[in-house]
Amino acid sequence: MKTESRTALNTRLDHRDPLVFDTHELGRRPGALQRLTRTVDAPRDLGVPGVIGVPEGTPLELELRLESVMEGVLVTGTARARAEGECVRCLEPVGQQLEAEFQEMFSYPDADDRGRLTAEPGDDAEDDEDRLFVEDGLIGLETVLRDAVVLALPMQPVCREDCPGLCSECGARLADDPDHHHDAVDIRWAALQGLAGSLGDGEKDDMSGDAPRSADAAEKQEK
């Protein structure tokens, strides 16, 4: 079963979406350029869920270069925002400035990879599966942005490179107490101590049980 293609994610673009851009001004003359800057609210789930990402609504700065080429619009851009997560060693909050660069080709629906006109867009579904298209002069950057951000973020964020993490015994944060330790007990000695304790309890029981029998014996002798 095939996963949802990037083409499917690029359909029904809404011009009101802050991550949708209008290329009509650029036109279809090869070599035409357009530079754009835009600050938008970050969409939800922008990053690695449960690890680190850009919080929803955080200002996301975009610098874009749109270039008209034979087969479509080549978009080159940089995204900047603040990412937040938690240290994988000590679980403390982690924050860092993110800068993600990306480049993506948005093809004209009526042109192939060499800029030649085709009869109908999407004739070859397999070729189109990983392609993004210009739709009615609009391009959507959300899919491209998500891919770029995930690649730019650390998969195992740490609060500092030498973070010692948490104590495996009690969970204490070792950075707060560098001298933190637990007395190590050899499990072989621990077993012998347990055995000795069991024997000691047994001797006490025997002694407590002997006292009544000794009294009975003394009473019989007197009779």
Side-chain angles (χ1 to χ4, degrees):
M1 182 176 180
K2 291 184 178 180
T3 58
E4 187 176 11
S5 68
R6 296 176 70 184
T7 304
L9 293 174
N10 195 39
T11 58
R12 298 182 296 276
L13 296 178
D14 186 346
H15 70 278
R16 295 169 297 182
D17 187 327
L19 291 176
V20 170
F21 293 80
D22 192 331
T23 66
H24 284 100
E25 184 178 338
L26 184 66
R28 295 185 62 163
R29 179 172 57 84
L33 293 174
Q34 185 177 8
R35 298 182 183 275
L36 301 171
T37 59
R38 183 181 294 184
T39 299
V40 303
D41 291 339
R44 63 183 301 179
D45 300 327
L46 186 60
V48 184
V51 181
I52 189 170
V54 179
E56 182 178 3
T58 297
L60 180 66
E61 298 177 3
L62 299 174
E63 291 185 5
L64 305 175
R65 179 178 183 269
L66 280 57
E67 180 180 1
S68 178
V69 294
M70 287 292 294
E71 61 269 27
V73 177
L74 179 64
V75 179
T76 304
T78 302
R80 297 182 181 88
R82 181 168 179 79
E84 297 179 0
E86 65 178 27
C87 176
V88 296
R89 297 178 188 171
C90 69
L91 307 183
E92 286 293 301
V94 172
Q96 68 174 64
Q97 287 300 123
L98 166 75
E99 182 170 304
E101 296 182 348
F102 54 89
Q103 186 174 73
E104 188 71 36
M105 170 65 70
F106 287 81
S107 301
Y108 294 128
D110 58 353
D112 64 13
D113 290 337
R114 291 173 294 282
R116 300 181 304 187
L117 296 180
T118 58
E120 291 291 339
D123 284 345
D124 192 335
E126 291 186 0
D127 288 346
D128 290 347
E129 187 168 340
D130 292 325
R131 295 170 64 189
L132 293 173
F133 291 90
V134 179
E135 298 184 5
D136 296 327
L138 302 176
I139 58 174
L141 291 184
E142 183 170 344
T143 303
V144 178
L145 187 61
R146 289 186 183 281
D147 292 345
V149 167
V150 169
L151 291 175
L153 288 170
M155 293 296 101
Q156 294 187 320
V158 292
C159 58
R160 67 187 200 196
E161 291 299 325
D162 60 345
C163 174
L166 302 176
C167 173
S168 59
E169 295 289 334
C170 65
R173 188 167 180 264
L174 298 178
D176 295 335
D177 183 8
D179 297 327
H180 179 87
H181 71 282
H182 294 270
D183 293 332
V185 177
D186 192 312
I187 58 174
R188 295 170 296 179
W189 287 112
L192 290 175
Q193 289 175 355
L195 179 60
S198 298
L199 292 175
D201 292 340
E203 290 175 354
K204 291 178 181 178
D205 291 340
D206 291 341
M207 291 178 65
S208 61
D210 288 344
R213 288 196 295 271
S214 299
D216 292 342
E219 185 176 350
K220 288 179 181 179
Q221 288 177 358
E222 290 178 357
K223 291 180 178 179

XYZ file of all heavy atoms in Angstrom, residues 147-202:
405
model
N 10.030 18.887 5.609
C 11.179 18.036 5.291
C 12.485 18.722 5.682
O 13.384 18.097 6.264
C 11.207 17.699 3.796
C 10.056 16.786 3.381
O 9.417 16.189 4.275
O 9.788 16.681 2.168
N 12.596 20.004 5.379
C 13.832 20.742 5.657
C 14.064 20.883 7.157
O 15.192 20.743 7.640
C 13.778 22.123 4.994
N 13.009 21.166 7.909
C 13.144 21.354 9.356
C 13.568 20.052 10.031
O 14.441 20.040 10.899
C 11.819 21.882 9.954
C 11.838 21.786 11.468
C 11.607 23.329 9.533
N 12.948 18.942 9.647
C 13.311 17.651 10.250
C 14.784 17.334 10.015
O 15.484 16.858 10.909
C 12.413 16.526 9.688
C 12.954 15.158 10.084
C 10.991 16.683 10.195
N 15.272 17.617 8.825
C 16.679 17.354 8.513
C 17.618 18.283 9.274
O 18.753 17.906 9.580
C 16.925 17.495 7.007
C 16.290 16.419 6.120
C 16.512 16.754 4.649
C 16.872 15.046 6.439
N 17.164 19.493 9.582
C 18.019 20.467 10.258
C 18.063 20.276 11.771
O 18.984 20.762 12.433
C 17.552 21.887 9.934
N 17.085 19.587 12.340
C 17.015 19.413 13.786
C 17.851 18.220 14.242
O 17.969 17.226 13.524
C 15.563 19.200 14.225
C 14.649 20.411 14.168
C 13.205 19.985 14.393
C 15.064 21.452 15.198
N 18.427 18.287 15.451
C 19.161 17.138 15.985
C 18.187 16.031 16.377
O 17.140 16.294 16.964
C 19.874 17.714 17.218
C 19.001 18.850 17.650
C 18.435 19.438 16.389
N 18.534 14.791 16.054
C 17.672 13.671 16.405
C 17.762 13.323 17.886
O 16.843 12.750 18.462
C 18.042 12.441 15.565
C 17.760 12.586 14.080
S 15.986 12.779 13.688
C 15.888 14.561 13.437
N 18.891 13.682 18.517
C 19.083 13.446 19.944
C 19.586 14.737 20.595
O 20.778 14.875 20.872
C 20.058 12.294 20.188
C 19.535 10.947 19.710
C 20.449 9.804 20.110
O 21.672 9.913 20.060
N 19.851 8.695 20.503
N 18.692 15.678 20.842
C 19.112 16.967 21.419
C 19.625 16.816 22.843
O 19.121 15.994 23.617
C 17.825 17.797 21.388
C 16.727 16.781 21.408
C 17.244 15.611 20.632
N 20.655 17.583 23.186
C 21.209 17.580 24.538
C 21.331 19.023 25.010
O 21.507 19.947 24.215
C 22.586 16.881 24.603
C 22.436 15.387 24.348
C 23.561 17.490 23.604
N 21.222 19.199 26.344
C 21.325 20.551 26.902
C 22.751 21.074 26.803
O 22.979 22.277 26.735
C 20.833 20.551 28.347
S 21.723 19.419 29.447
N 23.711 20.163 26.840
C 25.112 20.494 26.612
C 25.821 19.207 26.201
O 25.355 18.102 26.497
C 25.753 21.101 27.861
C 25.883 20.117 29.013
C 26.371 20.803 30.278
N 26.942 19.837 31.218
C 27.167 20.087 32.492
N 26.877 21.283 32.986
N 27.703 19.182 33.278
N 26.934 19.358 25.501
C 27.604 18.191 24.938
C 28.056 17.191 25.999
O 28.065 15.983 25.771
C 28.810 18.629 24.091
C 28.421 19.347 22.810
C 27.588 18.501 21.886
O 27.817 17.278 21.830
O 26.684 19.045 21.225
N 28.462 17.707 27.179
C 28.977 16.818 28.228
C 27.931 16.539 29.305
O 28.284 16.236 30.447
C 30.245 17.392 28.856
C 29.995 18.760 29.500
O 28.934 19.366 29.214
O 30.855 19.223 30.274
N 26.661 16.638 28.977
C 25.606 16.386 29.957
C 25.752 14.966 30.507
O 25.737 13.999 29.740
C 24.232 16.557 29.326
S 22.871 16.086 30.422
N 25.890 14.805 31.850
C 26.081 13.475 32.412
C 24.788 12.672 32.534
O 24.825 11.478 32.839
C 26.676 13.758 33.793
C 26.112 15.094 34.166
C 25.991 15.863 32.885
N 23.650 13.315 32.343
C 22.385 12.591 32.386
C 21.832 12.423 33.786
O 22.069 13.240 34.678
N 21.089 11.339 33.990
C 20.427 11.054 35.255
C 21.053 9.836 35.926
O 21.598 8.955 35.250
C 18.933 10.792 35.033
C 18.126 11.899 34.364
C 16.693 11.434 34.148
C 18.153 13.178 35.191
N 20.967 9.805 37.245
C 21.447 8.650 38.003
C 20.554 7.450 37.675
O 19.334 7.531 37.746
C 21.417 8.945 39.496
S 21.812 7.504 40.527
N 21.179 6.349 37.337
C 20.420 5.143 36.985
C 19.758 4.509 38.201
O 18.848 3.691 38.064
C 21.346 4.124 36.313
O 22.414 3.765 37.180
N 20.219 4.888 39.408
C 19.663 4.302 40.632
C 18.436 5.062 41.129
O 17.418 4.466 41.476
C 20.728 4.291 41.733
C 21.922 3.389 41.428
C 21.568 1.923 41.509
O 20.623 1.592 42.241
O 22.224 1.118 40.841
N 18.543 6.401 41.176
C 17.455 7.184 41.776
C 16.883 8.243 40.850
O 15.907 8.900 41.199
C 17.946 7.845 43.065
S 19.244 9.090 42.786
N 17.482 8.449 39.678
C 16.960 9.428 38.731
C 17.387 10.854 38.988
O 16.878 11.771 38.341
N 18.317 11.087 39.931
C 18.778 12.446 40.221
C 19.576 12.994 39.027
O 20.253 12.252 38.317
C 19.653 12.458 41.471
N 19.485 14.309 38.829
C 20.223 14.959 37.743
C 21.676 15.112 38.173
O 21.990 15.855 39.100
C 19.594 16.312 37.424
C 20.173 16.987 36.185
C 19.284 18.160 35.770
N 19.813 18.823 34.593
C 20.582 19.914 34.631
N 20.889 20.453 35.801
N 21.033 20.457 33.517
N 22.564 14.424 37.493
C 23.960 14.358 37.914
C 24.680 15.697 37.771
O 25.635 15.955 38.498
C 24.693 13.277 37.117
C 24.159 11.845 37.310
C 24.932 10.871 36.436
C 24.254 11.439 38.782
N 24.237 16.541 36.856
C 24.886 17.843 36.682
C 24.698 18.727 37.914
O 25.523 19.594 38.191
C 24.340 18.543 35.441
N 23.628 18.507 38.667
C 23.376 19.304 39.875
C 24.237 18.845 41.050
O 24.426 19.597 42.010
C 21.897 19.205 40.266
C 20.988 19.821 39.210
O 21.475 20.700 38.478
O 19.815 19.418 39.124
N 24.719 17.620 41.006
C 25.526 17.074 42.112
C 26.602 16.165 41.533
O 26.424 14.954 41.438
C 24.633 16.293 43.085
C 25.413 15.778 44.295
O 26.592 16.150 44.442
O 24.840 14.992 45.084
N 27.728 16.756 41.124
C 28.793 15.961 40.496
C 29.314 14.834 41.382
O 29.840 13.834 40.872
C 29.898 17.000 40.222
C 29.180 18.312 40.192
C 28.072 18.186 41.184
N 29.193 14.962 42.713
C 29.698 13.937 43.630
C 28.642 12.896 43.975
O 28.860 12.039 44.841
C 30.202 14.591 44.923
C 31.379 15.515 44.674
O 32.175 15.207 43.760
O 31.489 16.549 45.365
N 27.502 12.976 43.313
C 26.405 12.041 43.615
C 26.832 10.603 43.329
O 27.394 10.302 42.292
C 25.187 12.393 42.758
C 24.016 11.478 42.979
N 23.092 11.684 43.960
C 23.635 10.351 42.332
C 22.174 10.739 43.920
N 22.489 9.910 42.933
N 26.579 9.714 44.301
C 26.895 8.296 44.093
C 26.098 7.455 45.080
O 25.518 7.956 46.041
C 28.392 8.039 44.261
C 28.863 8.141 45.685
N 29.079 9.356 46.302
C 29.127 7.175 46.621
C 29.482 9.144 47.552
N 29.504 7.829 47.773
N 26.073 6.175 44.838
C 25.454 5.216 45.747
C 26.503 4.172 46.104
O 27.320 3.790 45.264
C 24.256 4.532 45.082
C 23.119 5.468 44.790
N 22.106 5.705 45.682
C 22.857 6.249 43.704
C 21.260 6.571 45.159
N 21.702 6.922 43.964
N 26.490 3.736 47.387
C 27.425 2.699 47.799
C 27.091 1.405 47.068
O 25.967 0.892 47.160
C 27.346 2.457 49.312
C 27.840 3.664 50.099
O 28.686 4.398 49.541
O 27.377 3.874 51.229
N 28.075 0.917 46.377
C 27.862 -0.310 45.616
C 27.990 -1.530 46.529
O 28.900 -1.624 47.351
C 28.885 -0.415 44.474
N 27.068 -2.445 46.397
C 27.082 -3.676 47.183
C 27.243 -4.849 46.231
O 26.481 -5.002 45.278
C 25.772 -3.831 47.983
C 25.763 -5.149 48.747
C 25.593 -2.658 48.931
N 28.258 -5.663 46.503
C 28.483 -6.851 45.684
C 27.295 -7.796 45.889
O 26.966 -8.176 47.013
C 29.789 -7.536 46.110
C 30.211 -8.606 45.109
O 29.363 -9.416 44.726
O 31.410 -8.623 44.747
N 26.646 -8.173 44.795
C 25.449 -9.011 44.913
C 25.755 -10.355 45.559
O 24.891 -10.968 46.179
C 24.806 -9.228 43.529
C 25.805 -9.889 42.561
C 24.301 -7.920 42.958
C 25.180 -10.257 41.234
N 27.017 -10.815 45.465
C 27.366 -12.092 46.108
C 27.351 -11.940 47.623
O 26.844 -12.813 48.344
C 28.745 -12.550 45.624
C 28.772 -12.886 44.128
C 30.168 -13.103 43.650
N 30.964 -11.875 43.765
C 32.248 -11.787 43.423
N 32.891 -12.839 42.954
N 32.886 -10.651 43.542
N 27.881 -10.820 48.139
C 27.850 -10.572 49.578
C 26.435 -10.318 50.055
O 26.038 -10.706 51.158
C 28.740 -9.382 49.927
C 30.205 -9.692 49.837
C 31.094 -9.210 48.939
C 30.944 -10.565 50.691
N 32.338 -9.733 49.149
C 32.280 -10.577 50.235
C 30.602 -11.371 51.799
C 33.279 -11.325 50.835
C 31.599 -12.116 52.399
C 32.921 -12.097 51.923
N 25.640 -9.633 49.201
C 24.259 -9.366 49.574
C 23.498 -10.666 49.785
O 22.695 -10.805 50.711
C 23.581 -8.525 48.491
N 23.761 -11.674 48.936
C 23.101 -12.970 49.082
C 23.518 -13.648 50.375
O 22.693 -14.237 51.088
C 23.442 -13.852 47.885
N 24.810 -13.567 50.726
C 25.284 -14.195 51.970
C 24.701 -13.496 53.193
O 24.362 -14.147 54.189
C 26.819 -14.144 52.013
C 27.541 -15.062 51.018
C 29.028 -14.828 51.077
C 27.208 -16.526 51.311
N 24.553 -12.148 53.092
C 23.966 -11.426 54.209
C 22.519 -11.835 54.418
O 22.051 -11.988 55.545
C 24.060 -9.915 53.948
C 25.483 -9.375 54.054
C 25.568 -7.910 53.673
O 24.582 -7.326 53.242
N 26.747 -7.330 53.841
N 21.818 -12.060 53.323
C 20.442 -12.499 53.438
C 20.348 -13.881 54.055
O 19.475 -14.159 54.884
N 21.277 -14.759 53.654
C 21.295 -16.111 54.216
C 21.607 -16.075 55.703
O 20.989 -16.776 56.511
C 22.338 -16.953 53.473
C 22.513 -18.394 53.950
C 21.194 -19.155 53.820
C 23.622 -19.087 53.154
N 22.567 -15.233 56.071
C 22.928 -15.115 57.478
C 21.748 -14.602 58.293
O 21.488 -15.055 59.412
C 24.131 -14.178 57.631
N 20.996 -13.669 57.718
C 19.829 -13.146 58.418
C 18.779 -14.217 58.629
O 18.156 -14.311 59.685
N 18.613 -15.071 57.618
C 17.624 -16.142 57.726
C 18.021 -17.137 58.806
O 17.202 -17.596 59.602
C 17.490 -16.860 56.376
O 17.041 -15.966 55.388
N 19.323 -17.477 58.858
C 19.806 -18.413 59.874
C 19.640 -17.819 61.264
O 19.269 -18.501 62.214
C 21.279 -18.759 59.614
C 21.544 -19.596 58.343
C 23.036 -19.760 58.139
C 20.872 -20.960 58.458
N 19.913 -16.550 61.406
C 19.787 -15.902 62.711
C 18.350 -15.939 63.205
O 18.074 -16.226 64.362
N 17.404 -15.698 62.315
C 15.994 -15.737 62.699
C 15.583 -17.141 63.121
O 14.821 -17.342 64.067
C 15.118 -15.265 61.530
C 15.323 -13.789 61.237
O 15.814 -13.087 62.131
O 14.990 -13.363 60.114
N 16.152 -18.163 62.423
C 15.826 -19.550 62.766
C 16.334 -19.929 64.131
O 15.667 -20.625 64.896
